[in-house]
Structure formats: C-alpha cells, structure tokens
Amino acid sequence: MYAPVESNQGFNFKPELPTSSAYYRLLKKLRRQVGHAIRDYNMIEDGDKVMVCVSGGKDSYTLLDILLQFKRIAPINFDVVAVNLDQKQPGFPEDILPRYMEENNIPYYILEKDTYTITKRLTPEGKTYCAVCSRLRRGSLYGFAQEIGATKVALGHHRDDIMATFFLNLFHGGSLKAMPPKLLSSDKKNILIRPLAYVEEKDIIKYADLRQFPIIPCNLCGSQENLQRAIINDMLREWDKQHPKRLHSIFGALQNVSPSQLADRELFDFEALDAQREFDMKDPEELKNRLDVVNLSFAAE
C-alpha cells in the first residue's frame, strides 16, 4: 500500500543545513513553540529517556529534529531515542529510516510487527482502517517503550491534529474531547507527550521541505476515500485561509474550559449550586419592601 520508494532515488540523508533567513526565522518559531509546550505541560524532566515514534512522515521527522536540538542546548539532561514500527506494508522502503538514523548518528530501533495484515483482516468491508490500525500501533509502541525503559513517549501530533480530533468527536462522537498535550496511557504505564501541540501544520510542511527529510508516504489510510478526518482537515485549512485568527481562537478555547458553562453532570456538580447560594439577610425589612414593590408592579400589569 506504499508508493514505491527506491533506495537511491536522490535522497541526501545528511544534507547541509539551510542558511536562509527564512529558515532561521521558522526554526526560531518552532523552537519557541515546542519549548513553551514542554514548559507549560512539564513534558520533559531531568533524566528522562524520551522515545520518539518516527513514522517517516514530516511530523515525526520534525519532532525528532527539534527534540535532538533541545537535547544539545537544554539545561537538563535527557536522552532521545527514535523508534519506528515497521508494519510490513507491501512496498515499504525498509532501508530509508535506518540509513537516515545512522548517517545522522541518532540512536534508533526498528520494531517489526505485521499489523498491516491484521488491520486488513479485522476491518469490515467499506470501513476505514484507522481505528484498528491505530489501536494495534499504540499497543506495539507502548509495550516497546516499557522494554527499553523509556520514561516518556513522544508523538508527532501538531496543533491542527488536535483541533481535527476535537471536531471529529464533536461532529461524529458526541463528546467534547481532543488530544491532550500530555496524557497517561489507559494502562497507566506510559506518559505520552505531544511537543508539537502549539505548532501549525503549515509550518511543519515548510520546515520538512527546507530540511529535505526523506519522507516516506503512507497510503494505507490516505488511500481510502471519504475519510472524515480528511474532510475536517479541509475545513480547517479553508477557515485558516478565510479567517486567519479563527484556528488560534479555537485552540485557545481548548485551553480555557469552563465546566460550569457546559452540561456535563459528571464534570460539574449542578445539584450543589443551591447549597452554595449566598443570601444577603442583613436587613429583612429592606428585602420585604423590595418584594412589595415587585408585587405592586405585577398587580398594575
């Protein structure tokens, strides 16, 4: 399901760093946004071993690259190791990622599991692969994180992914939830972090192009038609063109939740409001006079 990628198709696995002012402005912006996300959610601490899940796409390459830069300049000590899950999809260029990691002296593991065949078998005819594929992928990667002693698992989801997930759940799942920047896995064994949470996809596209990452296209999910996530992404891109500040406002809303202004009885105790009400009973006579005035006004009507 992968588009054929030849080993010698022209990739420079260790290209010279760009020198343009546009590159350095973008790099400064990405570093600032990633740094703020790490700080705001306490994502990385001294002594951490961060396992970066690398798929071969623009997002995970960018995440790995920025974290390696932080490792060199950060005031704390932490390790970064890249892990790729080879899902055994036909045509997958197995040499691309190992060659990139080795030529750039990046510690890495290639985890081989045939989740492709399982996904194809378990997905009903006409349904998308996403649910089964992501569940199998998460299980494999999270288990491997335990094996290598990783204290954090870094995922390449960016700001637009977080908002797309929010709207998918809103439109099709009947729930208000997205992808949090930091999360304890459901088995409570892994801390998941998303350092690109503040980064816009369009900036990642520019950065990956400037850095000439050897992108491996994945067509397992992308080849399916009428994916709801693709529809949502198109909606977000159109909003960004027509209303440049709208996406910034939406993401800000995800960080500024008022439980008392929604309707979730598990999230907010509406029954306790009566007990919390405060009465000003310092002057009962004045209160009685106010009520008399109100009653007279009703009678006049």
Side-chain angles (χ1 to χ4, degrees):
M1 298 297 294
Y2 275 86
V5 179
E6 299 297 334
S7 301
N8 299 314
Q9 69 174 60
F11 285 142
N12 183 355
F13 290 90
K14 196 174 181 179
E16 295 293 328
L17 288 176
T19 58
S20 67
S21 59
Y23 166 73
Y24 283 106
R25 284 196 302 271
L26 179 57
L27 176 61
K28 183 178 180 180
K29 179 181 180 181
L30 295 185
R31 279 184 175 179
R32 183 180 70 251
Q33 291 173 329
V34 172
H36 285 175
I38 291 174
R39 179 201 63 196
D40 291 350
Y41 296 94
N42 193 32
M43 291 184 182
I44 299 176
E45 301 170 276
D46 190 54
D48 268 339
K49 182 175 184 178
V50 182
M51 184 182 104
V52 182
C53 300
V54 180
S55 65
K58 60 179 175 29
D59 305 332
S60 58
Y61 272 124
T62 298
L63 172 62
L64 178 63
D65 190 66
I66 297 296
L67 288 185
L68 286 171
Q69 293 183 47
F70 276 142
K71 173 178 166 54
R72 292 192 293 269
I73 64 176
I76 62 173
N77 294 314
F78 65 94
D79 291 325
V80 174
V81 58
V83 174
N84 169 253
L85 175 62
D86 181 354
Q87 299 178 272
K88 297 304 175 185
Q89 296 185 36
F92 179 74
E94 297 180 353
D95 62 317
I96 298 293
L97 281 170
R99 186 173 171 188
Y100 175 80
M101 301 300 174
E102 290 165 8
E103 295 201 14
N104 289 278
N105 298 313
I106 301 171
Y108 75 97
Y109 294 93
I110 303 295
L111 178 60
E112 298 186 1
K113 288 199 174 183
D114 187 3
T115 60
Y116 169 81
T117 300
I118 300 173
T119 297
K120 295 283 284 185
R121 186 178 74 245
L122 295 181
T123 302
E125 185 70 26
K127 299 294 183 180
T128 59
Y129 303 132
C130 300
V132 176
C133 180
S134 61
R135 187 167 64 249
L136 292 173
R137 188 171 62 249
R138 285 196 304 267
S140 299
L141 289 169
Y142 297 172
F144 190 67
Q146 295 291 300
E147 291 183 29
I148 65 174
T151 55
K152 302 286 172 58
V153 177
L155 307 173
H157 300 120
H158 46 69
R159 187 201 69 171
D160 299 43
D161 287 326
I162 292 173
M163 288 192 293
T165 300
F166 169 75
F167 283 108
L168 278 171
N169 286 317
L170 178 65
F171 295 162
H172 305 286
S175 62
L176 287 176
K177 63 179 182 179
M179 293 174 171
K182 186 178 180 181
L183 176 70
L184 178 64
S185 61
S186 56
D187 63 5
K188 302 188 184 303
K189 294 181 179 180
N190 290 289
I191 295 292
L192 316 177
I193 59 174
R194 296 182 170 99
L196 299 180
Y198 293 167
V199 179
E200 301 172 54
E201 183 180 29
K202 60 186 179 183
D203 286 336
I204 294 175
I205 293 172
K206 294 176 187 175
Y207 187 76
D209 182 58
L210 287 168
R211 288 302 311 273
Q212 301 177 49
F213 295 134
I215 304 297
I216 302 173
C218 174
N219 296 321
L220 176 61
C221 295
S223 62
Q224 295 182 280
E225 297 180 356
N226 301 320
L227 287 177
Q228 293 300 331
R229 181 173 289 275
I231 296 172
I232 295 293
N233 285 334
D234 288 341
M235 178 189 76
L236 294 177
R237 292 187 189 101
E238 186 62 27
W239 282 353
D240 193 36
K241 292 178 183 177
Q242 300 296 326
H243 311 280
K245 295 183 179 180
R246 178 175 291 182
L247 299 189
H248 178 76
S249 178
I250 293 171
F251 188 81
L254 296 178
Q255 298 176 292
N256 186 26
V257 179
S258 298
S260 65
Q261 306 304 304
L262 299 174
D264 190 330
R265 291 174 294 165
E266 298 295 326
L267 194 63
F268 186 81
D269 190 356
F270 293 96
E271 294 183 5
L273 289 178
D274 287 340
Q276 297 173 19
R277 185 168 54 178
E278 297 179 0
F279 292 95
D280 185 3
M281 298 298 289
K282 294 180 180 178
D283 190 347
E285 187 63 28
E286 181 181 350
L287 179 61
K288 179 178 180 300
N289 291 337
R290 290 179 182 177
L291 291 175
D292 288 342
V293 170
V294 172
N295 289 335
L296 286 172
S297 66
F298 279 130
E301 292 178 1

